[in-house]
Amino acid sequence: MRWLLLLSLFLTQLAWADPAWLVRDTQLRDKPSFSAKRVKPLARGAEVDFIKRSGGWIQVGVPDGKKVKKGWLRSYEVRQDKQYASISSEEGQGQSSAIKTLARSTSSLFGSRASETADQNVVATIGVRGLSEEDLNKAKPDFDRVDDMAKWVVSKKKAKSFAKTVKLDEQKIKYIEVKDGEKD
Amino acid sequence: MRWIGLLTLMFAMGSAQAFGLGDLDKLSKGLKKAKEIKEDTKYLRGAMDEDEERKIGRDIAATLLAAAPPVDDEALQLYVNQVGRWVASQSERPDLEWTFGILDTDSINAFATPGGYVFVTKPLFLLLNSEAELAGVLGHEIAHVVEKHHIIALQKAVGTKYLMKGLLKAGEKNMDDDDVEVLDKVLGAGKELYTKGLDRKDEYEADRNGVVLAARAGYNPYGFLDTLATLNTIDPSDKSLALLTNTHPSTTDRLEALDPVMDKRLGKYVEQKNAGNRFRQYKASLLQVAEN
């Protein structure tokens, strides 16, 4: 019997083998459509089971009592990246892991701050170097810097062949118009 | 605009009843004239010689770069120019001298200046996960340049003549006191534009046009929604985000404006390339340089 139990445990694990996490508070919908019914509110940081992708939508399973409720979310609301696991709606408990990762990368821009890389509050403790309102207001134009960038300029033709190396195909698509009165 | 249409319709209906057909004819002539005037002012908005526009863009870029220099990594800068030029090639202004750069600062942001200068800050680059996401961010900035959002805003702030007089003198050696005063005023307006931001409606428009540019270039346009969602996970009071927060609508508002209008035109391009591998190589080397 014990191996059966183990096996069923293993199968359950398999069924939940594709976890993903929510990057924002949202609502589970019963169909992949904006007009679909909202069936369950979900909190940022919650774990869901990734099922499949369809256009800009992702089908997921979420625990609902003892059952699993299936439904749809916008694909950007879900990340299959564990760093988003600990993001919770309550920000009071220190920073999210996404921010910690960012803190590590930004803090390492400061050679002398190496000892602070372990400090998870590093982003909060360092000032914003370079593009704060104050920095911009006292900046005097540096024309050498801007003219020096000309050496990196790429021709249209060169850019096209670079695009071809990863098989990017050009499309003809019109801009999206919105009606007046909508957010515009 | 909708209410103007309604008003016109009501007016036209009212006058058709109250007056004879001759009056209606007069009315329609008047409407036609009004339309012509509107077209003229539309042409004037942002009207400027391309060289002049580029010169103004260079002046403002020089100011931004004084506060935050480009990252000293030639391979990375060439990479972002390749991707940027490809996306810009899909725009209505493919032949500008498009110049892209990653800036060394710890502020999370991206900027464009008139004439085709586009900058992404290093920490924003490090938050991205694919070339499709980079294309979305660059597409947003390219859209500002194509629509001349900054030029129009500067013209509004200081007037066209003043703007030309001031910025065209910048970088010249033989400026008299008057020139310096005008230049200071105009550069002040420029700085204000980059610290207070554009009209919020320009930002929503750049979001919509930017994702279309990314899709035209063969990328998955939904990468940009991922970027906005990532930005949305950062505490808005975080100092590294201060300038972005001050100059843009909230990322929640941007997501909610862009998301529902994307599928109709762009839904079928969701399977286009993310080019994640190529992007991550550059990201990894940038991280390595930063850590050493």
Side-chain angles (χ1 to χ4, degrees):
Chain A
M1 279 311 286
R2 191 177 294 159
W3 68 269
L4 249 181
L5 241 167
L6 266 172
L7 185 69
S8 71
L9 200 70
F10 177 67
L11 285 174
T12 323
Q13 289 279 309
L14 263 190
W16 285 91
D18 212 357
W21 294 271
L22 296 188
V23 298
R24 64 197 305 250
D25 294 343
T26 185
Q27 293 263 0
L28 190 70
R29 291 171 199 261
D30 66 350
K31 289 191 187 75
S33 155
F34 286 104
S35 54
K37 210 169 101 188
R38 294 164 188 203
V39 290
K40 191 180 168 66
L42 297 169
R44 178 176 166 177
E47 184 173 328
V48 297
D49 181 30
F50 177 87
I51 300 171
K52 68 176 179 190
R53 192 178 285 271
S54 170
W57 297 86
I58 279 182
Q59 191 181 31
V60 298
V62 297
D64 187 40
K66 283 182 180 170
K67 290 181 190 161
V68 171
K69 195 174 198 74
K70 283 187 187 177
W72 296 83
L73 298 168
R74 291 299 285 168
S75 57
Y76 71 83
E77 296 176 319
V78 176
R79 293 290 169 84
Q80 288 184 283
D81 183 339
K82 207 164 183 179
Q83 67 163 321
Y84 292 94
S86 61
I87 298 177
S88 79
S89 299
E90 297 143 53
E91 216 74 49
Q93 309 280 324
Q95 287 160 315
S96 69
S97 21
I99 306 311
K100 285 171 202 156
T101 308
L102 177 68
R104 274 192 289 280
S105 55
T106 53
S107 65
S108 53
L109 303 178
F110 303 81
S112 60
R113 300 270 183 171
S115 60
E116 283 190 25
T117 42
D119 181 355
Q120 296 177 340
N121 287 319
V122 66
V123 163
T125 57
I126 56 179
V128 173
R129 176 186 53 110
L131 284 172
S132 67
E133 193 166 335
E134 201 193 336
D135 289 324
L136 275 182
N137 280 332
K138 58 177 194 226
K140 293 260 176 280
D142 185 332
F143 293 99
D144 290 342
R145 276 187 184 167
V146 67
D147 294 341
D148 198 37
M149 288 182 70
K151 66 181 185 222
W152 298 322
V153 168
V154 165
S155 71
K156 230 172 24 173
K157 205 175 144 197
K158 239 179 121 185
K160 188 169 187 153
S161 63
F162 190 72
K164 288 277 172 259
T165 60
V166 287
K167 300 196 171 67
L168 294 167
D169 294 325
E170 277 172 278
Q171 308 285 352
K172 284 200 164 59
I173 310 166
K174 281 187 189 160
Y175 288 126
I176 300 164
E177 306 280 345
V178 294
K179 283 180 223 135
D180 291 333
E182 281 180 40
K183 267 186 186 158
D184 183 24
Chain B
M1 279 313 289
R2 192 180 293 157
W3 67 269
I4 293 183
L6 257 171
L7 207 66
T8 316
L9 192 71
M10 280 163 62
F11 186 49
M13 279 163 64
S15 52
Q17 275 168 0
F19 313 108
L21 282 173
D23 295 295
L24 195 61
D25 192 44
K26 240 185 250 168
L27 179 73
S28 86
K29 266 184 195 152
L31 278 176
K32 205 175 153 196
K33 184 81 193 159
K35 207 177 157 192
E36 276 167 16
I37 292 169
K38 203 184 142 206
E39 290 292 311
D40 284 348
T41 43
K42 191 179 165 192
Y43 175 72
L44 281 174
R45 257 168 48 108
M48 187 176 284
D49 186 270
E50 207 166 282
D51 289 341
E52 290 164 351
E53 185 188 349
R54 178 79 179 173
K55 221 170 164 187
I56 288 172
R58 172 175 170 266
D59 295 337
I60 300 173
T63 310
L64 293 173
L65 291 174
V71 171
D72 186 18
D73 179 342
E74 187 161 20
L76 174 77
Q77 301 288 9
L78 282 172
Y79 171 66
V80 74
N81 273 279
Q82 301 268 27
V83 176
R85 187 65 195 254
W86 175 241
V87 177
S89 298
Q90 317 302 322
S91 79
E92 290 64 28
R93 306 184 76 186
D95 296 315
L96 287 179
E97 186 81 349
W98 290 96
T99 309
F100 299 85
I102 304 290
L103 302 190
D104 195 358
T105 162
D106 47 316
S107 173
I108 301 170
N109 213 340
F111 308 88
T113 78
Y117 294 94
V118 174
F119 306 109
V120 177
T121 69
K122 183 166 167 174
L124 176 56
F125 185 88
L126 291 174
L127 275 179
L128 307 176
N129 294 299
S130 69
E131 199 169 297
E133 284 196 49
L134 176 63
V137 170
L138 297 174
H140 173 101
E141 299 306 329
I142 290 164
H144 280 314
V145 174
V146 170
E147 295 297 328
K148 301 185 183 176
H149 286 151
H150 295 97
I151 290 283
I152 293 166
L154 282 170
Q155 283 176 340
K156 257 190 219 163
V158 294
T160 305
K161 275 188 190 146
Y162 216 55
L163 179 68
M164 306 298 284
K165 194 176 172 213
L167 285 176
L168 295 181
K169 283 276 179 187
E172 281 179 19
K173 293 206 171 66
N174 55 341
M175 290 198 290
D176 59 31
D177 286 354
D178 269 5
D179 291 336
V180 172
E181 199 191 318
V182 171
L183 176 64
D184 276 355
K185 269 208 176 120
V186 173
L187 275 183
K191 283 173 183 174
E192 184 157 322
L193 193 57
Y194 285 83
T195 50
K196 302 284 184 288
L198 290 162
D199 193 325
R200 298 307 187 251
K201 86 172 181 17
D202 292 346
E203 295 298 340
Y204 290 117
E205 185 182 22
D207 281 351
R208 292 193 305 273
N209 292 1
V211 291
V212 169
L213 289 174
R216 284 181 188 171
Y219 294 104
N220 171 7
Y222 288 83
F224 189 65
L225 285 182
D226 289 340
T227 305
L228 288 178
T230 302
L231 291 173
N232 214 19
T233 63
I234 301 173
D235 181 353
S237 66
D238 195 297
K239 278 186 190 148
S240 60
L241 211 56
L243 198 57
L244 182 88
T245 312
N246 289 346
T247 53
H248 290 77
S250 80
T251 41
T252 304
D253 285 351
R254 292 172 71 185
L255 278 168
E256 281 167 8
L258 182 62
D259 185 30
V261 299
M262 271 185 78
D263 286 7
K264 203 174 150 198
R265 188 143 305 154
L266 299 176
K268 61 178 168 178
Y269 303 106
V270 71
E271 305 296 341
Q272 289 198 135
K273 299 280 187 303
N274 288 309
N277 288 339
R278 182 156 85 175
F279 178 83
R280 280 187 291 271
Q281 282 170 17
Y282 287 95
K283 182 170 162 176
S285 82
L286 183 60
L287 272 171
Q288 227 162 29
V289 169
E291 271 159 20
N292 286 339

